[in-house]
Amino acid sequence: MAENIAHYGAPMTAAPQIKRYSGVMDWLTTVDHKKIGLLYFWFVVTMGLIGGAFAGAIRIHLATPGAVWEAVNHAHLTGTAVPYNWFSENRHLYNEFVTMHATIMIFFTIIPGFIAFMNYIVPLLIGARDMAFPKMNAFGFWLLIPAALLMFSSFFVNGGAAASGWTAYPPLSLQGMHSMPGQDMWIFGVHLAGVSSILAAINFIVTITNLRAPGMTWTKLPIFVWATMFVSIIQLLATPVLAAAVTMLLMDRNFGTSFTVPEKGGDPILYQHVFWTYSHPAVYIMILPGFGAISHIIAAFSHKRVFGYASMVFAIGAITVLGFMVWAHHMFVVGMPTLLQTYFMYASLLIGVPTGIKVFNWLATMWGGTIRFTVAMKFACGFLCLFVIGGFGGLILAMVPTDISLNNSYFVVGHFHMVLVGGSVMLLFAQAYYWWPKMTGHYLSEGLGNWVFWLMFIGVFVAFFAMHISGYEGMPRRVPVYYADFKFSNMLTTFGYFLTIIAAALFYIDLFVSYSRPKITVDDPWQVNDVQHSFEWATSCPPPVYNFEHVPPIPVVDQMAHHGTNA
């Protein structure tokens, strides 16, 4: 193993001989972290298409005349035909689509999307041959398949799929107990996805702790590795709390318990506390790995070392800790005592400080650098713009008076999407364009990538800024019919959605086309390692099964010594 190599340049110990398959069986039985990373990636691509299709059905419906209350009411008063819309006969189905869209995008797209890159890149960055527990790594991935199938199949059972939103608040999530198993199937799907997440977290923590190359001390870890470590700690600590929350629902629905049933002495607010104890830290599960990744991307294409390495690491750590201390800012309207409201308001504002440190460090990294605006760099810069806008929405919602006014409005939906799509999804695109040559040995098209970036950037801004306007004007969330006052902003949101769909389609096409492009024959296709000195650019594209012939492949760099300076 890597930790047993005593000096730079020593050959790796011979791997034990195991039976290897080829073709499809190779992918089905692989325990190679690189292939598992690609399996995660293609799973995420598939889930993103499905989750995006659910969003498309919602947005197309909200852009039709049949979604406008005045038009529907006029038809009823005049005896004319009600304007057609997709959910006019079954508004319960609308709630099912809303629930499944959010669930797929959170549990099966964004979280495993980052795990895809973490799986592939982290062992390379620390000079390891593989993950610490390769079989557990494979098992964690394959758990996602039955989890997703369980949720999709719930559409075909009595009562349909879960329709209580991804938050599954009781008493709404208790409806149909004993007779409508769709909600129970959703709970079991969340459990399986949670087990997958916990296994991945354990694996990353052990891998980073024990399999670092000789000379790679904690103060020399790349920032993406630090981000992976912190997010794994969040996953390990928070995911069992989510399991506890949904298990309470499962027991109340099927076994006569009363954790959340008020008429039997239970407390539905208890569920909200337990749920958000996981789900607010989960926001950072969906963003912190991207913070680490664009620290590499911005530094690489600015031809500089990242500015403020120590403060970047401490900022990620501070976000990790503070993320567990602000959960109830989602609950200002439940009747919380004023003292607690005050605490959670100030704690929520405080968490913006380490995030601001990171933003200024990224800007300082670019300052004075020789910037190359590759597609990956454009997505990184686009992320900065959209994430800061989304972050200001978070500051507004952290204030108790404004949050009470805007609670359960489209302003909250717009903020959430601006942060997760303008933040997390833009970061996933940036990582794909940056590391795809390393992962596959082929480039993605820079020309087509420019179209993907601009369509995605403009589409995200238009769609989700318009949601802020809808919410500010008073439109409630999760409604299939709205007043005509909100029609223009809803049309803008649907227009922005279509721009993002075009961008996603171009990206998906380019993924397949990239395999037909010439094979990359150099280790460092972006020509950045003269400054970055990063291990992943010191092996072939893609790396061999054993990753490196020697460990470490190049001398370990002191991350503290060159921050903020040109090499």
Side-chain angles (χ1 to χ4, degrees), residues 485-549:
D485 296 346
F486 311 126
K487 184 176 180 179
F488 178 71
S489 56
N490 271 277
M491 296 297 289
L492 275 180
T493 298
T494 301
F495 173 71
Y497 164 80
F498 278 112
L499 291 182
T500 65
I501 283 299
I502 295 170
L506 294 176
F507 175 71
Y508 291 149
I509 292 169
D510 197 27
L511 288 176
F512 291 101
V513 172
S514 69
Y515 285 96
S516 66
R517 297 192 180 108
K519 196 79 171 177
I520 294 171
T521 58
V522 295
D523 296 346
D524 181 18
W526 295 119
Q527 300 179 2
V528 296
N529 226 27
D530 57 329
V531 175
Q532 303 309 311
H533 303 293
S534 187
F535 286 0
E536 87 266 36
W537 304 119
T539 187
S540 60
C541 298
V545 173
Y546 49 83
N547 289 346
F548 304 102
E549 292 185 7

Side-chain angles (χ1 to χ4, degrees), residues 378-457:
K378 288 177 181 175
F379 270 107
C381 295
F383 153 79
L384 285 176
C385 297
L386 296 173
F387 184 73
V388 168
I389 293 171
F392 276 116
L395 294 177
I396 292 170
L397 291 171
M399 307 296 291
V400 175
T402 52
D403 181 82
I404 291 173
S405 299
L406 296 169
N407 187 70
N408 272 335
S409 74
Y410 252 88
F411 191 95
V412 179
V413 181
H415 160 66
F416 192 61
H417 282 78
M418 189 70 83
V419 170
L420 287 188
V421 183
S424 303
V425 174
M426 294 289 282
L427 290 171
L428 289 172
F429 275 109
Q431 290 174 86
Y433 278 96
Y434 183 56
W435 277 318
W436 192 251
K438 179 57 60 179
M439 295 167 70
T440 66
H442 302 279
Y443 286 106
L444 290 168
S445 169
E446 287 287 303
L448 193 59
N450 283 316
W451 281 97
V452 173
F453 166 73
W454 285 111
L455 286 169
M456 183 63 66
F457 179 79

Side-chain angles (χ1 to χ4, degrees), residues 89-136:
E89 301 300 325
N90 189 355
R91 292 185 180 179
H92 183 77
L93 183 63
Y94 178 86
N95 290 334
E96 293 177 28
F97 273 45
V98 169
T99 301
M100 207 54 65
H101 161 67
T103 302
I104 291 170
M105 298 308 290
I106 291 170
F107 294 110
F108 300 115
T109 303
I110 296 178
I111 292 176
F114 284 117
I115 292 177
F117 293 105
M118 290 153 60
N119 240 297
Y120 201 109
I121 300 299
V122 165
L124 297 179
L125 286 173
I126 64 174
R129 172 177 287 167
D130 207 315
M131 297 287 285
F133 306 116
K135 292 181 179 178
M136 189 167 80

Side-chain angles (χ1 to χ4, degrees), residues 102 105-107 110-112 114 166-167 190 194 197 230-242 274-290 319-320 322-327 329-330 351 416 419-420 424:
M105 298 308 290
I106 291 170
F107 294 110
I110 296 178
I111 292 176
F114 284 117
W166 80 278
T167 54
V190 169
S197 187
F230 281 119
V231 82
S232 298
I233 292 170
I234 297 174
Q235 286 177 293
L236 186 59
L237 295 178
T239 307
V241 181
L242 174 65
V274 179
F275 176 84
W276 287 112
T277 299
Y278 161 81
S279 293
H280 191 80
V283 173
Y284 303 108
I285 294 174
M286 294 185 277
I287 200 81
L288 286 183
I319 292 170
T320 300
L322 291 171
F324 283 97
M325 302 169 66
V326 297
W327 76 89
H329 69 210
H330 299 273
I351 205 168
F416 192 61
V419 170
L420 287 188
S424 303

